[in-house]
Amino acid sequence: MKRKWMFTFILLIVGFMVAVQYNTVQQPQERDTRDLWAIRNELAKERKLHSELLTEVRALDQTLGKYNASEGASVGKALADTVHSLHEQAGMVDQTGPGIIIDVVPSEESIAFGTPLHEVSPELLTRFVNEVNRFKGIDMEIDGKRVTALSAIRDINGETTVNGLPVSLPPFQIKILSADLGSSEKLYNFLQSSSILDDFYLEDFVLEVGQPESEVKINGRIEQFENHFLKELPKGG
């Protein structure tokens, strides 16, 4: 009798395990419900990221090659060139090139109805920056303040600021540089059909996007970066 109950108990455990395994196979916890186009878009994004990483690796290899091939005074020049390149990437150098100029002005309706003039909110400016950053290789300036990947757009004591500096009440200008004139034209066409124009209009502002120009100048960042981790070694160390 004892063996019969033991055999029954073992069969019960085996049956339970088989049932659990069958249910897991028939009903997976996560299913990929994306269609073919969604998967292709995801693959395209990954390829683009891979290409950008390869470009950065090549640039670093070239810099390392300059150091290895340089001797004496040439080492100092290679180092100075690298520092200048890093300053450009950080937005600390004035730049001139193809681009567009955008005037941010109050809407005619707000002026006609006597609506009090107010600042462009940090959220709206951030939304604009994110919209434009869909295009790679651009440099931007908002009301004379250079915008980089490290820039902060926030509200400080009731004022909209970029890099801690207050943004003027409209009208003011936004300048965007591109790699070439063709890229500026693509950005111009993109902004003409972008919903960001409606977002500004709902806040009583108008974005007047100027035609692409061959030479637009933007200022370098005047605020110094704070260094919390790197320390200068003593001479001869």
Side-chain angles (χ1 to χ4, degrees):
M1 187 69 178
K2 185 176 181 182
R3 289 183 178 179
K4 183 178 180 181
W5 280 108
M6 183 70 69
F7 183 71
T8 303
F9 181 70
I10 294 174
L11 287 179
L12 180 63
I13 294 178
V14 173
F16 176 75
M17 293 176 64
V18 171
V20 170
Q21 184 177 6
Y22 176 80
N23 185 61
T24 301
V25 173
Q26 294 297 320
Q27 299 180 356
Q29 293 182 354
E30 295 183 3
R31 296 181 59 189
D32 193 343
T33 58
R34 294 178 299 177
D35 58 18
L36 182 60
W37 285 109
I39 296 176
R40 286 181 176 177
N41 288 335
E42 191 68 25
L43 180 59
K45 291 180 182 179
E46 293 298 328
R47 287 180 175 176
K48 185 177 182 181
L49 177 60
H50 182 255
S51 176
E52 292 174 355
L53 291 175
L54 286 178
T55 302
E56 292 182 9
V57 170
R58 291 193 192 98
L60 293 175
D61 285 340
Q62 290 176 359
T63 301
L64 183 60
K66 289 180 181 179
Y67 290 149
N68 293 333
S70 300
E71 295 182 2
S74 298
V75 175
K77 183 178 184 306
L79 182 59
D81 291 341
T82 301
V83 171
H84 182 76
S85 176
L86 292 175
H87 280 172
E88 285 185 338
Q89 295 179 32
M92 300 176 69
V93 179
D94 294 351
Q95 286 188 304
T96 302
I100 59 176
I101 298 177
I102 303 171
D103 290 301
V104 183
V105 300
S107 66
E108 294 182 1
E109 290 79 3
S110 65
I111 297 175
F113 289 108
T115 303
L117 191 61
H118 59 89
E119 297 177 333
V120 178
S121 67
E123 294 78 14
L124 188 56
L125 274 184
T126 301
R127 206 178 312 159
F128 174 84
V129 172
N130 291 338
E131 191 82 356
V132 172
N133 276 335
R134 295 184 182 187
F135 291 79
K136 301 298 181 181
I138 65 170
D139 295 288
M140 189 186 316
E141 173 189 288
I142 297 179
D143 189 30
K145 289 85 175 170
R146 187 68 170 269
V147 178
T148 68
L150 299 178
S151 295
I153 301 176
R154 58 168 64 101
D155 182 298
I156 299 180
N157 297 327
E159 287 186 319
T160 299
T161 63
V162 175
N163 301 329
L165 301 176
V167 177
S168 305
L169 290 174
F172 62 83
Q173 289 186 332
I174 299 176
K175 299 179 181 179
I176 306 174
L177 298 188
S178 301
D180 49 56
L181 195 58
S183 299
S184 295
E185 291 175 352
K186 291 180 180 179
L187 177 58
Y188 171 82
N189 294 330
F190 170 77
L191 288 175
Q192 290 293 338
S193 59
S194 173
S195 61
I196 195 66
L197 300 180
D198 297 327
D199 295 336
F200 271 80
Y201 186 75
L202 291 174
E203 296 292 332
D204 296 324
F205 303 114
V206 173
L207 292 183
E208 297 179 350
V209 184
Q211 291 285 341
E213 302 179 20
S214 57
E215 285 194 9
V216 174
K217 181 181 179 180
I218 60 176
N219 300 318
R221 178 179 175 132
I222 60 175
E223 308 81 27
Q224 296 298 318
F225 292 101
E226 295 183 3
N227 180 23
H228 299 288
F229 303 103
L230 298 178
K231 295 183 180 180
E232 184 179 359
L233 292 175
K235 294 183 178 180

